[in-house]
Amino acid sequence: MKILHITPELAPWSKAGGLGDATIALSKALAAQGHEVRVVTPLYGSVPGRENMGTLLDVLKVGVHGNPAKAACRVRSLAISSGLEAWFTEHEDYYGGREIYPTREDVGERAAFYGRAALDICLNTGWTPDIIHCHDWTAGLVPVLLNTVVKGTPLGKCASVMTIHNLQHQGLMSRRVMGFLGLPEHLWSPLELECLGGLNFLKGGILHATRVITVSPTYAREILTPEFGYGLDDVVRRRQPELEGILNGVDSDEWNPSTDPYLKKNYSTKDLGGKSACKAELQRELGLATDLKTPLIAVISRLWEQKGLDLAVRVLPKFLRAGQIQFVLLGSGDAQLENEFRRLAADFPERCAVRIGYDNGLSHRIEAGADFFLMPSRFEPCGLNQLYSMAYGTLPIVRATGGLADTVKHWSRTTAQGTGIVFQHADVSGIDWAIQQALELFARPADFQSVQLQAMQQEFSWAKSSDGHLSCYRKALTQRLAG
Ligand code: ADP
């Protein structure tokens, strides 16, 4: 199959969260199975070595109806692996800044532009995909374009797939974007793209794609309800027959404790010895007391309401004060929450370390050095860190929601079976209970190690995930052919 991905993030060139990891890993896995895969993504100012990126594939005049001087776009092609190429759209005005998701007035136009450019690259080069796979809101208007503006071109026959990586981010933009893309006026309706007086990108994608994917089976059920639907649950329900949940996976080239170059010592299920060395090294690096006997709980996360860390910060002092845990956080986001965690570190300097910012190497060392990984999310479409944690024998402590519920099995005291700690309610007492469970498990070394090994033996591979995607693509092609 010829598969085109359109995504705002592609690691390692751009990554704000799990989306960047997911798009590169899925693309690689599909190409490894012999498919021809192309990925269109913007060339942001933050991309290292952007001046000399790849080779010039094309200079386009993108089919938009704005300022003609801004319609030109250079496309750089980079071969990533056999069968896989990234096509970077280079446009100083739109993407020359360092941020992937900046706050600026033309943010809708900026997103619409690269989606339309993706289609123009195909039309210009004559490379016609079977599947156009759109990721998250920024690519949401592409399925709409396929059904309208470019319907009469060779692309009109392509099947499209819309993946919802997070339904909270929908891209509610100005109606002006419709004119910019030349979309027909009848789409300005609450039954179509209109939403709360604005133009909703993701709504367009959900309604117009041939099929809709979200990133776990549980989240696929949750987003049918008002609690998780963020105002689009009725729209999702309209597409329920074409909706499926497919879990993301772990890219074992990147996240593998036996080969990870960021670690002091590598380890595997055959010999967990290196994990203690990683813990001691992490404690040293972050200025914590070197202490292998106290469980170290870690968080690596965007600090937004979704992640439930505002609840965690209220629970942790009790355990830190009692000397029962050490705690490490790497993340950034909400300024007030950043300050609350900084204060926590100042209150417990030997037991708590907080690093505000983004640091890939440190995130690997934390995954390896911690004993537990806390994800008290209010909702979590899939979550990748609990998968990385399990691969590193770091037991996830998770709330039973979305992909967390689908991937972590609660430890049973009677059978010692399980892969982590799972709690039900996103509230202070839920987290408190879960940490007590973790302490209890840690106090039973044989059980703890048995659960570690079970976690490490879980298989969340991208090969499995890409099989799920391929089966979805086949259904989409059949549907598209049936008209
Ligand atoms: P989300 O996509 O909602 O942010 P996921 O768990 O799916 O959550 O993915 C988060 C990804 O981003 C993981 O790869 C995680 O390691 C990474 N990450 C998040 N914050 C940071 C940070 N401050 N430094 C390094 N990596 C981070």
Side-chain angles (χ1 to χ4, degrees):
M1 266 187 235
K2 287 183 174 171
I3 302 155
L4 175 71
H5 291 277
I6 305 179
T7 173
E9 295 181 35
L10 185 70
W13 299 279
S14 55
K15 169 173 165 177
L19 175 59
D21 285 354
T23 49
I24 186 66
L26 173 61
S27 306
K28 277 194 199 165
L30 291 167
Q33 296 195 28
H35 301 284
E36 211 177 305
V37 185
R38 302 289 176 267
V39 187
V40 170
T41 193
L43 187 64
Y44 302 108
S46 50
V47 172
R50 64 197 284 264
E51 303 77 17
N52 304 311
M53 175 67 80
T55 54
L56 188 66
L57 176 79
D58 206 350
V59 181
L60 292 173
K61 191 172 168 312
V62 177
V64 290
H65 301 267
N67 174 357
K70 278 177 80 177
C73 174
R74 286 156 64 89
V75 182
R76 289 171 180 264
S77 160
L78 182 74
I80 296 175
S81 62
S82 170
L84 172 59
E85 264 177 50
W87 290 340
F88 291 93
T89 55
E90 184 180 16
H91 190 293
E92 271 317 294
D93 259 14
Y94 288 134
Y95 315 117
R98 296 190 59 78
E99 280 180 84
I100 300 176
Y101 304 108
T103 319
R104 47 189 266 183
E105 211 181 299
D106 65 349
V107 65
E109 183 180 309
R110 180 179 175 270
F113 184 85
Y114 94 101
R116 174 67 222 219
L119 302 184
D120 284 320
I121 302 171
C122 295
L123 291 171
N124 251 23
T125 58
W127 189 83
T128 307
D130 300 300
I131 297 289
I132 299 186
H133 189 158
C134 306
H135 296 272
D136 264 358
W137 75 265
T138 62
L141 294 183
V142 172
V144 185
L145 286 169
L146 292 172
N147 288 347
T148 55
V149 178
V150 302
K151 196 174 166 59
T153 73
L155 297 181
K157 294 201 179 61
C158 300
S160 59
V161 172
M162 181 78 230
T163 291
I164 304 167
H165 292 267
N166 187 331
L167 190 57
Q168 188 179 19
H169 304 294
Q170 302 177 1
L172 194 60
M173 300 295 154
S174 152
R175 180 182 180 174
R176 282 199 303 272
V177 177
M178 285 189 59
F180 180 70
L181 287 176
L183 293 174
E185 274 302 305
H186 74 262
L187 295 180
W188 183 253
S189 141
L191 288 175
E192 282 282 351
L193 310 183
E194 188 186 345
C195 188
L196 304 170
L199 169 70
N200 189 316
F201 273 56
L202 188 59
K203 184 181 180 191
I206 295 171
L207 286 175
H208 282 261
T210 319
R211 292 191 71 79
V212 182
I213 292 177
T214 190
V215 285
S216 68
T218 294
Y219 193 57
R221 288 190 296 276
E222 287 172 340
I223 57 178
L224 299 167
T225 67
E227 189 189 348
F228 293 91
Y230 278 91
L232 286 190
D233 45 294
D234 61 328
V235 176
V236 178
R237 283 197 299 274
R238 277 159 70 186
R239 297 307 311 272
Q240 191 174 0
E242 293 85 28
L243 170 70
E244 57 194 295
I246 304 174
L247 280 172
N248 288 330
V250 176
D251 181 349
S252 54
D253 292 342
E254 276 295 310
W255 294 96
N256 182 345
S258 65
T259 54
D260 191 329
Y262 292 108
L263 307 190
K264 170 95 174 166
K265 197 147 187 247
N266 292 111
Y267 60 91
S268 68
T269 45
K270 290 193 191 73
D271 178 9
L272 280 175
K275 190 161 170 63
S276 308
C278 292
K279 179 171 177 179
E281 179 62 17
L282 181 67
Q283 288 169 328
R284 195 198 55 73
E285 177 178 354
L286 298 179
L288 298 176
T290 308
D291 173 2
L292 297 180
K293 297 223 163 65
T294 301
L296 197 166
I297 300 178
V299 168
I300 304 168
S301 183
R302 295 180 295 116
L303 302 179
W304 297 125
E305 204 219 354
Q306 174 199 342
K307 302 293 180 181
L309 293 162
D310 52 312
L311 301 170
V313 78
R314 288 159 57 195
V315 179
L316 290 164
K318 169 180 137 186
F319 294 100
L320 286 165
R321 203 170 298 119
Q324 289 173 300
I325 61 166
Q326 287 190 339
F327 178 75
V328 166
L329 176 134
L330 169 64
S332 63
D334 178 75
Q336 191 186 331
L337 197 52
E338 287 180 357
N339 283 334
E340 285 181 43
F341 276 109
R342 280 197 190 97
R343 213 170 306 131
L344 193 68
D347 288 346
F348 303 98
E350 294 235 306
R351 296 187 197 131
C352 174
V354 168
R355 295 289 178 271
I356 301 300
Y358 189 92
D359 186 334
N360 186 46
L362 180 57
S363 77
H364 283 246
R365 290 191 291 281
I366 291 175
E367 285 291 7
D371 298 298
F372 293 97
F373 194 97
L374 178 62
M375 294 178 81
S377 305
R378 291 189 167 88
F379 71 94
E380 193 63 70
C382 176
L384 286 172
N385 273 316
Q386 84 280 14
L387 306 182
Y388 302 156
S389 299
M390 286 190 275
Y392 281 65
T394 300
L395 301 184
I397 303 173
V398 302
R399 167 152 189 257
T401 182
L404 300 176
D406 290 334
T407 55
V408 184
K409 199 161 150 256
H410 183 62
W411 163 59
S412 151
R413 203 176 287 104
T414 41
T415 62
Q417 295 294 301
T419 56
I421 306 290
V422 182
F423 63 99
Q424 294 300 320
H425 300 293
D427 56 26
V428 165
S429 54
I431 300 174
D432 187 289
W433 177 85
I435 294 179
Q436 310 244 24
Q437 292 285 301
L439 293 179
E440 215 176 293
L441 174 56
F442 193 76
R444 303 172 176 218
D447 283 4
F448 181 70
Q449 201 184 78
S450 152
V451 178
Q452 276 184 309
L453 291 174
Q454 291 173 64
M456 291 173 83
Q457 279 154 1
Q458 298 297 303
E459 208 213 311
F460 294 105
S461 72
W462 275 104
K464 201 154 140 193
S465 179
S466 66
D467 283 346
H469 282 88
L470 283 167
S471 120
C472 168
Y473 295 164
R474 287 192 196 100
K475 285 183 238 169
L477 283 173
T478 310
Q479 275 171 244
R480 196 67 170 179
L481 279 176

